[in-house]
Amino acid sequence: MGIRGKWLRAKRGAWICAAGAFAAAVIVAVYAAVVPTGQTLPAGSKATPFALTVFSSPSLPPEVQAQEAATAPLLFDRDTTTQHVAFDVSSVQAAFESPQSVSAIKIFGPAPYLLSVKADAGGSFQSIAGLENLNLTALPAAWNTFTAAAPVTTGKILLTLTPATGGSASGLNEVELWTTAAPVTVKSGAALLAQLLGPTPPPQGRAYTALNSSATPTTAVVTPNDNSQTLATNTFKFTLDRDPAHFVRVYLTYEQFGQGSLVSVRRLINASQPATSQAGGSPILPNSVWSTQVERINPAVLIRGINTIQFKVLSSSFTNGGFTVRNVRVVGELDDGANTIETISANQPDALGNNPVEALYDGDLATGWQPYPADQPIEAVAPSVEFVFRRPTQMEAVSLYLSAPIAGQVQLSVKQAGVWSDFPAEAGVAFDTGWNTISVPATVPPESRAYEGARLTFSGGSGSSAEVREFLFVGSGVGGRTVPPKIFIAFPDAGQFYGRVGYVQGFVEPWNNGSGNATMTLGGQTLVQVSGTIDGVRNKDNVGLAAQADS
């Protein structure tokens, strides 16, 4: 399976390559000291406001005030290539869903303004010490952090922009509001759902319950003979209270009875909207067991406001294709500054299945991964774990939690413009039980800190029983939020196929990068692409496996 077509190259491509080479030269010349902090995680997290109010200068014409209001959401759209433009002194009020302990503000790149930040305190806005009259005109083209003299707990922040001379910027690209709250890791959509339904939901998680118009609004019985009236009761609705661009990941979840897989259920998300996702409906795998389905979906097929999810049987000829669904939800994970990791892999196998590398990123300090497991062979000379990010991310720090002091050496490497560069290895004695944080050396310029991945390499510690219980990469995304393009597969998730047939369901992000829709092929055949949804079927004869036995 692949994507064909010409994706536009970023204008900064040549600059990034040069910066990557420069950063590599800088990194090997400096040391990033390890700071053990025991049970305290020093890293904070990003909080995204869900509502904005713009207060433009009354001297501006109404159409210009409307333009300011229209671009204000671009301040928090997780895309550093877009910008908000203020034409006179104006303010943007950012409201949180609950009070946050705001400790810093990040600004991407230069902007032709002075910025002052205030916090709501009992109905009036008060200046935040350390965040007053910040001159943004000469900032580097990177994330720049301004720290408050002391954290301020508030439910609303007021950003006041005053036009200033100097520099060549025409607007403000992006803003991030950071808090003292430690980030919480969630390893999967199923884990996110379970935690949101549990007693301690993760702060970056959001759950939206979808209901239908029947007397039993949480449940729908779907049959092959549904008509327009019954199809209406098979349609669930929920209201999304924020811009879907705020989410790093989104999942459609529901419980189903009568079919054994999510690909057996036809579901249509926002079928009447220009951006829609319609997939599933075969193969028919009848069963009599309730199961929970969790399917990753593209946030871009959602809208702020009312969204619909309809379930149906793909064809009335599928006489055994009926099913029941209940507890339909959409759950999402907001960008908290520490959930950019997309995939994790180790360079040695888990031969016995008791040393899963995924335990590094499951939010559970009771589970971990051992570089030097005593009960199975270590095939790599230097065991390592590689973390791939969804997009280039400007690093603030990495933190790892150890179950015990570790022997040998630990080396952090970072990937930039496709090239790996190593920080100098740190002696294991520099680490301690609990959290250990490695920050980027101050000598590395901010614009040279955007990385595509990170790697931990362990050496000389054979016999050590220490586990890495958790790994966090803290930073801020750089560039477009869907760059580079990527394919996400929801099914199969474990190599499933039926007889001679394999079913594939997922999406490509973005489905259109400005140069036209992506062309997708599956098993050598072009897929019909609607809003980036992947919904295809191929048999063994299509993919060169004609001689292979059926299953």
Side-chain angles (χ1 to χ4, degrees), residues 341-349 355-358 360-361 369 383-388 420 454-458:
I341 294 174
E342 196 63 55
T343 60
I344 306 172
S345 59
N347 69 344
Q348 58 180 348
N355 193 34
V357 71
E358 294 81 7
L360 282 169
Y361 196 66
W369 174 81
S384 67
V385 183
E386 186 173 315
F387 306 85
V388 177
W420 284 100
R455 183 173 62 209
L456 287 178
T457 302
F458 302 84

PDB file of all heavy atoms in Angstrom, residues 341-349 355-358 360-361 369 383-388 420 454-458:
ATOM      1  N   ILE A 341       4.773  11.320  20.460  1.00  0.00           N
ATOM      2  CA  ILE A 341       5.301  10.010  20.063  1.00  0.00           C
ATOM      3  C   ILE A 341       4.216   9.204  19.365  1.00  0.00           C
ATOM      4  O   ILE A 341       3.123   9.021  19.886  1.00  0.00           O
ATOM      5  CB  ILE A 341       5.837   9.246  21.285  1.00  0.00           C
ATOM      6  CG1 ILE A 341       7.058   9.970  21.866  1.00  0.00           C
ATOM      7  CG2 ILE A 341       6.214   7.813  20.908  1.00  0.00           C
ATOM      8  CD1 ILE A 341       7.565   9.373  23.168  1.00  0.00           C
ATOM      9  N   GLU A 342       4.551   8.699  18.169  1.00  0.00           N
ATOM     10  CA  GLU A 342       3.589   7.928  17.379  1.00  0.00           C
ATOM     11  C   GLU A 342       3.897   6.439  17.405  1.00  0.00           C
ATOM     12  O   GLU A 342       2.991   5.612  17.485  1.00  0.00           O
ATOM     13  CB  GLU A 342       3.590   8.437  15.934  1.00  0.00           C
ATOM     14  CG  GLU A 342       2.401   8.000  15.116  1.00  0.00           C
ATOM     15  CD  GLU A 342       1.085   8.526  15.660  1.00  0.00           C
ATOM     16  OE1 GLU A 342       0.939   9.751  15.840  1.00  0.00           O
ATOM     17  OE2 GLU A 342       0.197   7.694  15.923  1.00  0.00           O
ATOM     18  N   THR A 343       5.178   6.070  17.305  1.00  0.00           N
ATOM     19  CA  THR A 343       5.553   4.653  17.338  1.00  0.00           C
ATOM     20  C   THR A 343       6.797   4.464  18.196  1.00  0.00           C
ATOM     21  O   THR A 343       7.626   5.368  18.329  1.00  0.00           O
ATOM     22  CB  THR A 343       5.830   4.102  15.926  1.00  0.00           C
ATOM     23  OG1 THR A 343       6.909   4.836  15.328  1.00  0.00           O
ATOM     24  CG2 THR A 343       4.601   4.214  15.043  1.00  0.00           C
ATOM     25  N   ILE A 344       6.913   3.257  18.766  1.00  0.00           N
ATOM     26  CA  ILE A 344       8.052   2.884  19.606  1.00  0.00           C
ATOM     27  C   ILE A 344       8.549   1.523  19.135  1.00  0.00           C
ATOM     28  O   ILE A 344       7.751   0.616  18.882  1.00  0.00           O
ATOM     29  CB  ILE A 344       7.650   2.792  21.095  1.00  0.00           C
ATOM     30  CG1 ILE A 344       6.991   4.093  21.560  1.00  0.00           C
ATOM     31  CG2 ILE A 344       8.859   2.482  21.969  1.00  0.00           C
ATOM     32  CD1 ILE A 344       6.410   3.995  22.960  1.00  0.00           C
ATOM     33  N   SER A 345       9.863   1.372  19.022  1.00  0.00           N
ATOM     34  CA  SER A 345      10.421   0.078  18.625  1.00  0.00           C
ATOM     35  C   SER A 345      11.762  -0.128  19.308  1.00  0.00           C
ATOM     36  O   SER A 345      12.495   0.826  19.576  1.00  0.00           O
ATOM     37  CB  SER A 345      10.592  -0.004  17.105  1.00  0.00           C
ATOM     38  OG  SER A 345      11.452   1.021  16.639  1.00  0.00           O
ATOM     39  N   ALA A 346      12.061  -1.394  19.609  1.00  0.00           N
ATOM     40  CA  ALA A 346      13.339  -1.763  20.215  1.00  0.00           C
ATOM     41  C   ALA A 346      14.158  -2.547  19.200  1.00  0.00           C
ATOM     42  O   ALA A 346      13.612  -3.162  18.283  1.00  0.00           O
ATOM     43  CB  ALA A 346      13.112  -2.596  21.473  1.00  0.00           C
ATOM     44  N   ASN A 347      15.475  -2.536  19.367  1.00  0.00           N
ATOM     45  CA  ASN A 347      16.345  -3.240  18.423  1.00  0.00           C
ATOM     46  C   ASN A 347      16.626  -4.675  18.845  1.00  0.00           C
ATOM     47  O   ASN A 347      17.491  -5.331  18.275  1.00  0.00           O
ATOM     48  CB  ASN A 347      17.661  -2.482  18.224  1.00  0.00           C
ATOM     49  CG  ASN A 347      18.550  -2.494  19.458  1.00  0.00           C
ATOM     50  OD1 ASN A 347      18.097  -2.809  20.565  1.00  0.00           O
ATOM     51  ND2 ASN A 347      19.823  -2.132  19.282  1.00  0.00           N
ATOM     52  N   GLN A 348      15.915  -5.153  19.856  1.00  0.00           N
ATOM     53  CA  GLN A 348      16.049  -6.554  20.229  1.00  0.00           C
ATOM     54  C   GLN A 348      14.658  -7.127  20.477  1.00  0.00           C
ATOM     55  O   GLN A 348      13.757  -6.421  20.937  1.00  0.00           O
ATOM     56  CB  GLN A 348      16.917  -6.723  21.470  1.00  0.00           C
ATOM     57  CG  GLN A 348      16.441  -5.986  22.708  1.00  0.00           C
ATOM     58  CD  GLN A 348      17.378  -6.225  23.881  1.00  0.00           C
ATOM     59  OE1 GLN A 348      18.244  -7.086  23.843  1.00  0.00           O
ATOM     60  NE2 GLN A 348      17.203  -5.468  24.939  1.00  0.00           N
ATOM     61  N   PRO A 349      14.464  -8.397  20.133  1.00  0.00           N
ATOM     62  CA  PRO A 349      13.128  -8.982  20.256  1.00  0.00           C
ATOM     63  C   PRO A 349      12.765  -9.274  21.707  1.00  0.00           C
ATOM     64  O   PRO A 349      13.632  -9.456  22.560  1.00  0.00           O
ATOM     65  CB  PRO A 349      13.245 -10.278  19.449  1.00  0.00           C
ATOM     66  CG  PRO A 349      14.695 -10.647  19.564  1.00  0.00           C
ATOM     67  CD  PRO A 349      15.447  -9.344  19.579  1.00  0.00           C
ATOM     68  N   ASN A 355       8.669  -8.589  28.207  1.00  0.00           N
ATOM     69  CA  ASN A 355       9.452  -7.355  28.286  1.00  0.00           C
ATOM     70  C   ASN A 355       8.991  -6.401  27.181  1.00  0.00           C
ATOM     71  O   ASN A 355       9.773  -5.981  26.329  1.00  0.00           O
ATOM     72  CB  ASN A 355      10.947  -7.669  28.137  1.00  0.00           C
ATOM     73  CG  ASN A 355      11.832  -6.487  28.510  1.00  0.00           C
ATOM     74  OD1 ASN A 355      11.511  -5.708  29.404  1.00  0.00           O
ATOM     75  ND2 ASN A 355      12.957  -6.347  27.809  1.00  0.00           N
ATOM     76  N   PRO A 356       7.703  -6.034  27.188  1.00  0.00           N
ATOM     77  CA  PRO A 356       7.156  -5.227  26.089  1.00  0.00           C
ATOM     78  C   PRO A 356       7.688  -3.801  26.107  1.00  0.00           C
ATOM     79  O   PRO A 356       7.657  -3.117  27.134  1.00  0.00           O
ATOM     80  CB  PRO A 356       5.649  -5.256  26.350  1.00  0.00           C
ATOM     81  CG  PRO A 356       5.533  -5.443  27.833  1.00  0.00           C
ATOM     82  CD  PRO A 356       6.683  -6.333  28.214  1.00  0.00           C
ATOM     83  N   VAL A 357       8.161  -3.348  24.967  1.00  0.00           N
ATOM     84  CA  VAL A 357       8.692  -1.992  24.895  1.00  0.00           C
ATOM     85  C   VAL A 357       7.578  -0.958  25.065  1.00  0.00           C
ATOM     86  O   VAL A 357       7.826   0.186  25.476  1.00  0.00           O
ATOM     87  CB  VAL A 357       9.444  -1.802  23.559  1.00  0.00           C
ATOM     88  CG1 VAL A 357       8.472  -1.762  22.387  1.00  0.00           C
ATOM     89  CG2 VAL A 357      10.300  -0.547  23.586  1.00  0.00           C
ATOM     90  N   GLU A 358       6.328  -1.363  24.793  1.00  0.00           N
ATOM     91  CA  GLU A 358       5.202  -0.436  24.952  1.00  0.00           C
ATOM     92  C   GLU A 358       5.024   0.016  26.399  1.00  0.00           C
ATOM     93  O   GLU A 358       4.384   1.041  26.663  1.00  0.00           O
ATOM     94  CB  GLU A 358       3.910  -1.094  24.464  1.00  0.00           C
ATOM     95  CG  GLU A 358       3.862  -1.373  22.974  1.00  0.00           C
ATOM     96  CD  GLU A 358       4.594  -2.649  22.586  1.00  0.00           C
ATOM     97  OE1 GLU A 358       5.025  -3.389  23.509  1.00  0.00           O
ATOM     98  OE2 GLU A 358       4.756  -2.900  21.385  1.00  0.00           O
ATOM     99  N   LEU A 360       7.063   1.361  28.156  1.00  0.00           N
ATOM    100  CA  LEU A 360       7.755   2.639  28.336  1.00  0.00           C
ATOM    101  C   LEU A 360       6.816   3.830  28.220  1.00  0.00           C
ATOM    102  O   LEU A 360       7.157   4.939  28.638  1.00  0.00           O
ATOM    103  CB  LEU A 360       8.834   2.798  27.255  1.00  0.00           C
ATOM    104  CG  LEU A 360      10.144   2.046  27.420  1.00  0.00           C
ATOM    105  CD1 LEU A 360      10.945   2.135  26.137  1.00  0.00           C
ATOM    106  CD2 LEU A 360      10.932   2.635  28.560  1.00  0.00           C
ATOM    107  N   TYR A 361       5.645   3.598  27.620  1.00  0.00           N
ATOM    108  CA  TYR A 361       4.797   4.727  27.257  1.00  0.00           C
ATOM    109  C   TYR A 361       3.335   4.400  27.538  1.00  0.00           C
ATOM    110  O   TYR A 361       2.462   4.635  26.726  1.00  0.00           O
ATOM    111  CB  TYR A 361       5.003   5.040  25.764  1.00  0.00           C
ATOM    112  CG  TYR A 361       4.509   6.394  25.322  1.00  0.00           C
ATOM    113  CD1 TYR A 361       5.106   7.556  25.789  1.00  0.00           C
ATOM    114  CD2 TYR A 361       3.461   6.515  24.416  1.00  0.00           C
ATOM    115  CE1 TYR A 361       4.664   8.801  25.376  1.00  0.00           C
ATOM    116  CE2 TYR A 361       3.006   7.754  23.994  1.00  0.00           C
ATOM    117  CZ  TYR A 361       3.611   8.895  24.478  1.00  0.00           C
ATOM    118  OH  TYR A 361       3.165  10.134  24.067  1.00  0.00           O
ATOM    119  N   TRP A 369      10.282  -1.545  30.849  1.00  0.00           N
ATOM    120  CA  TRP A 369      11.059  -2.306  29.868  1.00  0.00           C
ATOM    121  C   TRP A 369      12.488  -2.400  30.372  1.00  0.00           C
ATOM    122  O   TRP A 369      13.065  -1.405  30.828  1.00  0.00           O
ATOM    123  CB  TRP A 369      11.013  -1.597  28.521  1.00  0.00           C
ATOM    124  CG  TRP A 369      11.888  -2.199  27.458  1.00  0.00           C
ATOM    125  CD1 TRP A 369      11.614  -3.273  26.679  1.00  0.00           C
ATOM    126  CD2 TRP A 369      13.186  -1.728  27.050  1.00  0.00           C
ATOM    127  NE1 TRP A 369      12.652  -3.524  25.809  1.00  0.00           N
ATOM    128  CE2 TRP A 369      13.629  -2.585  26.015  1.00  0.00           C
ATOM    129  CE3 TRP A 369      14.010  -0.683  27.458  1.00  0.00           C
ATOM    130  CZ2 TRP A 369      14.864  -2.416  25.386  1.00  0.00           C
ATOM    131  CZ3 TRP A 369      15.240  -0.513  26.835  1.00  0.00           C
ATOM    132  CH2 TRP A 369      15.653  -1.372  25.811  1.00  0.00           C
ATOM    133  N   PRO A 383      21.537  -2.385  23.477  1.00  0.00           N
ATOM    134  CA  PRO A 383      20.069  -2.307  23.396  1.00  0.00           C
ATOM    135  C   PRO A 383      19.611  -0.862  23.245  1.00  0.00           C
ATOM    136  O   PRO A 383      20.135   0.044  23.907  1.00  0.00           O
ATOM    137  CB  PRO A 383      19.610  -2.895  24.731  1.00  0.00           C
ATOM    138  CG  PRO A 383      20.758  -3.726  25.206  1.00  0.00           C
ATOM    139  CD  PRO A 383      21.987  -3.040  24.715  1.00  0.00           C
ATOM    140  N   SER A 384      18.632  -0.647  22.376  1.00  0.00           N
ATOM    141  CA  SER A 384      18.148   0.718  22.170  1.00  0.00           C
ATOM    142  C   SER A 384      16.648   0.710  21.915  1.00  0.00           C
ATOM    143  O   SER A 384      16.070  -0.299  21.497  1.00  0.00           O
ATOM    144  CB  SER A 384      18.871   1.394  20.999  1.00  0.00           C
ATOM    145  OG  SER A 384      18.543   0.780  19.771  1.00  0.00           O
ATOM    146  N   VAL A 385      16.043   1.857  22.168  1.00  0.00           N
ATOM    147  CA  VAL A 385      14.626   2.072  21.905  1.00  0.00           C
ATOM    148  C   VAL A 385      14.497   3.341  21.080  1.00  0.00           C
ATOM    149  O   VAL A 385      15.088   4.373  21.417  1.00  0.00           O
ATOM    150  CB  VAL A 385      13.811   2.221  23.205  1.00  0.00           C
ATOM    151  CG1 VAL A 385      12.329   2.361  22.878  1.00  0.00           C
ATOM    152  CG2 VAL A 385      14.027   1.041  24.118  1.00  0.00           C
ATOM    153  N   GLU A 386      13.727   3.243  19.999  1.00  0.00           N
ATOM    154  CA  GLU A 386      13.557   4.380  19.102  1.00  0.00           C
ATOM    155  C   GLU A 386      12.118   4.881  19.175  1.00  0.00           C
ATOM    156  O   GLU A 386      11.167   4.100  19.137  1.00  0.00           O
ATOM    157  CB  GLU A 386      13.900   3.969  17.673  1.00  0.00           C
ATOM    158  CG  GLU A 386      13.896   5.106  16.677  1.00  0.00           C
ATOM    159  CD  GLU A 386      14.406   4.673  15.309  1.00  0.00           C
ATOM    160  OE1 GLU A 386      15.439   3.960  15.269  1.00  0.00           O
ATOM    161  OE2 GLU A 386      13.776   5.024  14.299  1.00  0.00           O
ATOM    162  N   PHE A 387      11.979   6.199  19.270  1.00  0.00           N
ATOM    163  CA  PHE A 387      10.674   6.847  19.354  1.00  0.00           C
ATOM    164  C   PHE A 387      10.510   7.738  18.123  1.00  0.00           C
ATOM    165  O   PHE A 387      11.334   8.623  17.877  1.00  0.00           O
ATOM    166  CB  PHE A 387      10.572   7.703  20.617  1.00  0.00           C
ATOM    167  CG  PHE A 387      10.879   6.953  21.890  1.00  0.00           C
ATOM    168  CD1 PHE A 387      12.192   6.814  22.332  1.00  0.00           C
ATOM    169  CD2 PHE A 387       9.863   6.376  22.634  1.00  0.00           C
ATOM    170  CE1 PHE A 387      12.485   6.124  23.495  1.00  0.00           C
ATOM    171  CE2 PHE A 387      10.143   5.682  23.802  1.00  0.00           C
ATOM    172  CZ  PHE A 387      11.455   5.554  24.234  1.00  0.00           C
ATOM    173  N   VAL A 388       9.450   7.499  17.353  1.00  0.00           N
ATOM    174  CA  VAL A 388       9.180   8.289  16.155  1.00  0.00           C
ATOM    175  C   VAL A 388       8.024   9.232  16.445  1.00  0.00           C
ATOM    176  O   VAL A 388       6.990   8.823  16.979  1.00  0.00           O
ATOM    177  CB  VAL A 388       8.839   7.381  14.958  1.00  0.00           C
ATOM    178  CG1 VAL A 388       8.488   8.215  13.728  1.00  0.00           C
ATOM    179  CG2 VAL A 388      10.010   6.453  14.654  1.00  0.00           C
ATOM    180  N   TRP A 420      20.537  11.008  12.224  1.00  0.00           N
ATOM    181  CA  TRP A 420      20.654  10.823  13.664  1.00  0.00           C
ATOM    182  C   TRP A 420      21.920  11.502  14.182  1.00  0.00           C
ATOM    183  O   TRP A 420      22.983  11.403  13.566  1.00  0.00           O
ATOM    184  CB  TRP A 420      20.715   9.344  14.027  1.00  0.00           C
ATOM    185  CG  TRP A 420      19.392   8.650  13.958  1.00  0.00           C
ATOM    186  CD1 TRP A 420      18.927   7.867  12.944  1.00  0.00           C
ATOM    187  CD2 TRP A 420      18.357   8.695  14.936  1.00  0.00           C
ATOM    188  NE1 TRP A 420      17.664   7.415  13.232  1.00  0.00           N
ATOM    189  CE2 TRP A 420      17.290   7.899  14.453  1.00  0.00           C
ATOM    190  CE3 TRP A 420      18.224   9.316  16.174  1.00  0.00           C
ATOM    191  CZ2 TRP A 420      16.109   7.719  15.168  1.00  0.00           C
ATOM    192  CZ3 TRP A 420      17.050   9.137  16.887  1.00  0.00           C
ATOM    193  CH2 TRP A 420      16.007   8.352  16.391  1.00  0.00           C
ATOM    194  N   ALA A 454      13.562  10.351  18.626  1.00  0.00           N
ATOM    195  CA  ALA A 454      14.580  10.259  19.674  1.00  0.00           C
ATOM    196  C   ALA A 454      14.907   8.791  19.900  1.00  0.00           C
ATOM    197  O   ALA A 454      14.102   7.899  19.593  1.00  0.00           O
ATOM    198  CB  ALA A 454      14.094  10.907  20.966  1.00  0.00           C
ATOM    199  N   ARG A 455      16.103   8.547  20.438  1.00  0.00           N
ATOM    200  CA  ARG A 455      16.530   7.165  20.685  1.00  0.00           C
ATOM    201  C   ARG A 455      17.338   7.106  21.969  1.00  0.00           C
ATOM    202  O   ARG A 455      18.165   7.981  22.243  1.00  0.00           O
ATOM    203  CB  ARG A 455      17.377   6.668  19.511  1.00  0.00           C
ATOM    204  CG  ARG A 455      17.816   5.208  19.615  1.00  0.00           C
ATOM    205  CD  ARG A 455      18.503   4.768  18.326  1.00  0.00           C
ATOM    206  NE  ARG A 455      19.708   5.545  18.060  1.00  0.00           N
ATOM    207  CZ  ARG A 455      20.189   5.797  16.841  1.00  0.00           C
ATOM    208  NH1 ARG A 455      19.551   5.347  15.768  1.00  0.00           N
ATOM    209  NH2 ARG A 455      21.292   6.507  16.687  1.00  0.00           N
ATOM    210  N   LEU A 456      17.066   6.089  22.771  1.00  0.00           N
ATOM    211  CA  LEU A 456      17.865   5.797  23.955  1.00  0.00           C
ATOM    212  C   LEU A 456      18.687   4.551  23.677  1.00  0.00           C
ATOM    213  O   LEU A 456      18.140   3.522  23.258  1.00  0.00           O
ATOM    214  CB  LEU A 456      16.976   5.547  25.170  1.00  0.00           C
ATOM    215  CG  LEU A 456      16.272   6.741  25.816  1.00  0.00           C
ATOM    216  CD1 LEU A 456      15.398   6.265  26.972  1.00  0.00           C
ATOM    217  CD2 LEU A 456      17.276   7.774  26.308  1.00  0.00           C
ATOM    218  N   THR A 457      19.996   4.628  23.904  1.00  0.00           N
ATOM    219  CA  THR A 457      20.881   3.484  23.697  1.00  0.00           C
ATOM    220  C   THR A 457      21.599   3.171  25.002  1.00  0.00           C
ATOM    221  O   THR A 457      22.124   4.075  25.668  1.00  0.00           O
ATOM    222  CB  THR A 457      21.912   3.775  22.595  1.00  0.00           C
ATOM    223  OG1 THR A 457      21.221   4.093  21.378  1.00  0.00           O
ATOM    224  CG2 THR A 457      22.807   2.567  22.350  1.00  0.00           C
ATOM    225  N   PHE A 458      21.613   1.893  25.355  1.00  0.00           N
ATOM    226  CA  PHE A 458      22.216   1.442  26.607  1.00  0.00           C
ATOM    227  C   PHE A 458      23.437   0.578  26.274  1.00  0.00           C
ATOM    228  O   PHE A 458      23.395  -0.250  25.359  1.00  0.00           O
ATOM    229  CB  PHE A 458      21.205   0.632  27.417  1.00  0.00           C
ATOM    230  CG  PHE A 458      19.946   1.392  27.730  1.00  0.00           C
ATOM    231  CD1 PHE A 458      18.905   1.450  26.807  1.00  0.00           C
ATOM    232  CD2 PHE A 458      19.804   2.074  28.926  1.00  0.00           C
ATOM    233  CE1 PHE A 458      17.748   2.157  27.079  1.00  0.00           C
ATOM    234  CE2 PHE A 458      18.647   2.788  29.207  1.00  0.00           C
ATOM    235  CZ  PHE A 458      17.619   2.833  28.283  1.00  0.00           C
TER     236      PHE A 458
END
